[in-house]
């Protein structure tokens, strides 16, 4: 297993990218440690609904073969964001009523805006969306059980 990058901090908030066939699936992750954390995202479960559904769950970090990217958007040293705060902000943003590919990233950025409006993080520039897209695009090689996801710190959020 590759070592844990120094930019990774339990308790910080990350935009997470998961490798899939086209663009990465995008979510928000609040790690409790290097092994796991709390994930909020939207997903389509074609068995029960053809539309996006909000989900909060525990997510494996170290050793997950699809998690490739973690972009820190809020450091715990600036004040903790609780799981309750994260879930409350995520629940306030409606899931799209369609099954269009790519909605997950748009939803995540709306949750980030909600967190900023709630004064839980600072969003300095809307370019954070493009920042994550550019960062995650080169991280497919990190989607392996023996690699820790690639970690970076946002220039536009804190």
């Amino acid at each position: 297993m590759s070592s844990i990058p120094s930019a990774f901090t339990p308790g910080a908030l990350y935009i997470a990218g998961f490798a899939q066939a086209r663009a990465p699936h995008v979510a928000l992750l609040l790690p409790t440690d290097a092994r796991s954390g709390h994930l909020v995202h939207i997903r389509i479960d074609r068995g029960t609904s053809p539309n996006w559904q909000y989900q909060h769950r525990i997510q494996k970090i170290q050793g997950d073969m699809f998690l490739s990217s973690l972009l820190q958007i809020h450091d715990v040293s600036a004040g903790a964001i609780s799981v309750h705060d994260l879930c409350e902000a995520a629940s306030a943003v409606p899931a799209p009523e369609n099954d269009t590919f790519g909605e997950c990233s748009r939803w995540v950025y709306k949750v980030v805006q909600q967190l900023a409006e709630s004064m839980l993080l600072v969003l300095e520039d809307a370019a954070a969306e493009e920042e994550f897209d550019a960062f995650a695009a080169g991280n497919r090689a990190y989607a392996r059980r023996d690699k820790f996801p690639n970690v970076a710190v946002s220039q536009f959020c804190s």
Side-chain angles (χ1 to χ4, degrees):
M1 176 66 64
S2 62
S3 64
I4 299 168
S6 60
F8 178 79
T9 307
L13 182 63
Y14 295 86
I15 299 175
F18 294 83
Q20 57 183 13
R22 291 189 259 178
H25 176 60
V26 181
L28 289 168
L29 180 68
L30 187 62
T32 52
D33 56 36
R35 293 182 307 276
S36 67
H38 293 268
L39 183 89
V40 296
H41 70 138
I42 55 172
R43 55 171 278 163
I44 294 178
D45 185 354
R46 300 217 187 269
T48 59
S49 172
N51 294 328
W52 292 97
Q53 302 292 316
Y54 164 72
Q55 182 183 50
H56 164 239
R57 65 180 166 94
I58 300 299
Q59 170 63 45
K60 183 178 180 179
I61 299 172
Q62 195 168 29
D64 184 283
M65 68 181 288
F66 297 104
L67 181 58
S68 62
S69 308
L70 292 172
L71 180 67
Q72 185 184 105
I73 59 170
H74 179 78
D75 189 64
V76 69
S77 66
I81 294 176
S82 70
V83 174
H84 173 79
D85 291 337
L86 178 59
C87 291
E88 190 172 270
S91 295
V93 177
E97 294 184 11
N98 63 50
D99 63 354
T100 306
F101 181 83
E103 291 284 357
C104 58
S105 62
R106 286 186 278 279
W107 180 86
V108 161
Y109 300 118
K110 288 177 183 176
V111 175
V112 170
Q113 290 171 342
Q114 179 70 31
L115 290 164
E117 289 170 14
S118 300
M119 309 294 280
L120 293 169
L121 62 76
V122 176
L123 177 60
E124 297 173 15
D125 193 317
E129 185 172 351
E130 290 83 25
E131 178 187 36
F132 180 77
D133 291 345
F135 170 64
N139 290 337
R140 184 169 281 287
Y142 288 87
R144 296 174 34 173
R145 290 190 205 284
D146 63 341
K147 286 197 175 239
F148 199 83
N150 197 10
V151 180
V153 176
S154 175
Q155 299 175 39
F156 303 109
C157 298
S158 59

